[in-house]
Amino acid sequence: MMQQNQLQGALSSQFDTVLETMEGIATSYFLSGRLEQALQILQVGRLLLSMPEVTTHAQARFLLQYGRTLTLKTQFENAPEDEAIAVLQQVQQLAKQLDDPQLIADAVDSIGFAGYTAASNRREGDPSLLQGYFQEALERRQALQDQRGCSESLFHLGLIEDIIDQPEQAHRYYTQALQLARQHNHPREAAEALRHLGFQAQRQGRPAEAQQYFRRALRMAEQSEMQVYIPFAHVALADVYLEQKELDRASEHARKALELAQSMDIKRAHIFALFSNGSICQARGDTKLARDYYEQAHALAQTIGLGYAIQRAGDALQQLAENTDSQLSAQEQEQ
């Protein structure tokens, strides 16, 4: 019996090592911009979870990463969020069975973010209803002195305040998230907080300040080899340089964003990069090329059903058509 128990313990330890290794591989794939490969690794690993030697803790930890990665697919490709939320709710149940406070906190925050991502993509629902998830997660993480987790939950609370038009409160949360992330060396959380502080400055008519935030976010993503976030950082810089009428710099960042988004097949970044390139061409007076970029953005947005991007592309194409008609009418009158 003792020998059998020892064998059982050895197998559990070996499975734990295998699953943890697969989690690390999936993380590396994701950060390098290969989301589908990350999901493939996790889907293969999920087949092992039914083995009797796999501990409940190992199951919950692995499913947490799987659920979070499914959420990223929702975020980047507008994929349905149902599976992600179901997996994360399973994690929450397992964590409660284990009475594991860290897993409970992580699951609660992740469920909230999966809901936020879907609502944000669709521009529907009441995002304030998700605030409770992030507040609960923050309180649990503060009790655990989980500084990375606290930074993440503060950032998520900022997202909610931003979307319900409470800019001062959002700024406070973003700033707190950034301070914690920088103090404890969590570059992913810091880069996201910087980028959203930049968006705030841009909306409030301070493009030079926004540019500084965006440049710092890009530098942090590059230094930390978080390739998947770099196209978004270039799009943000392209748009703010365009606003400042620095078209050459805007064009450089828009081109890099498009190349990276295409090579990594990050559809949401690809759509944003097409918009940026189209806007720059329009500012230069190249209507034909601008129309081409907007049409590509419209087609790609349709493939993933990203409604607000479809609308934006349609509005841009309509504006181009109206401008062209006005120019032709003016030329006819001159003749």
Side-chain angles (χ1 to χ4, degrees), residues 1-14 53:
M1 179 65 72
M2 183 177 295
Q3 188 175 13
Q4 185 176 356
N5 289 338
Q6 288 175 340
L7 178 60
Q8 182 90 6
L11 282 169
S12 292
S13 178
Q14 288 166 347
E53 293 82 8

Side-chain angles (χ1 to χ4, degrees), residues 110-181:
S110 299
I111 291 167
F113 187 65
Y116 165 81
T117 296
S120 178
N121 278 348
R122 295 171 191 162
R123 299 292 199 269
E124 63 183 26
D126 184 358
S128 64
L129 296 176
L130 302 168
Q131 204 164 22
Y133 287 99
F134 302 134
Q135 190 61 51
E136 179 186 344
L138 177 61
E139 291 168 4
R140 289 179 178 276
R141 287 166 159 179
Q142 286 172 333
L144 294 164
Q145 297 186 331
D146 171 13
Q147 305 303 336
R148 189 215 64 80
C150 287
S151 176
E152 181 180 57
S153 292
L154 285 164
F155 171 67
H156 290 161
L157 283 165
L159 292 177
I160 297 297
E161 296 293 346
D162 235 347
I163 207 167
I164 62 175
D165 198 24
Q166 297 293 325
E168 291 182 6
Q169 185 73 345
H171 188 274
R172 187 168 72 86
Y173 280 131
Y174 291 151
T175 302
Q176 290 177 340
L178 176 60
Q179 288 172 344
L180 269 182

Side-chain angles (χ1 to χ4, degrees), residues 32-34 37 227 231 256-266 270:
S32 67
R34 301 164 72 182
Q37 287 87 341
Q227 300 297 315
K256 288 179 180 177
L258 186 57
E259 290 174 355
L260 288 168
Q262 285 178 311
S263 67
M264 291 187 276
D265 194 25
I266 305 173
H270 190 174

Side-chain angles (χ1 to χ4, degrees), residues 217-291:
L218 173 60
R219 186 164 59 249
M220 189 163 289
E222 289 175 334
Q223 290 173 350
S224 304
E225 298 184 351
M226 298 185 298
Q227 300 297 315
V228 71
Y229 294 105
I230 293 177
F232 295 99
H234 278 299
V235 165
L237 275 167
D239 291 347
V240 79
Y241 277 127
L242 173 61
E243 187 177 340
Q244 294 173 297
K245 303 190 187 309
E246 296 187 45
L247 297 186
D248 288 343
R249 286 188 173 184
S251 182
E252 178 186 353
H253 285 288
R255 176 184 55 79
K256 288 179 180 177
L258 186 57
E259 290 174 355
L260 288 168
Q262 285 178 311
S263 67
M264 291 187 276
D265 194 25
I266 305 173
K267 292 182 175 61
R268 196 156 162 261
H270 190 174
I271 292 166
F272 292 165
L274 288 166
F275 282 134
S276 296
N277 279 279
S279 298
I280 293 163
C281 290
Q282 189 173 354
R284 292 187 188 277
D286 191 341
T287 303
K288 184 176 183 301
L289 192 53
R291 182 182 297 108

Side-chain angles (χ1 to χ4, degrees), residues 75-105:
Q75 185 178 19
F76 292 167
E77 300 182 10
N78 197 34
E81 77 281 6
D82 297 356
E83 184 183 3
I85 291 175
V87 168
L88 292 168
Q89 287 173 337
Q90 183 182 356
V91 174
Q92 186 180 26
Q93 292 171 356
L94 292 173
K96 287 180 177 178
Q97 290 174 23
L98 292 165
D99 194 22
D100 187 318
Q102 183 68 66
L103 274 172
I104 293 171

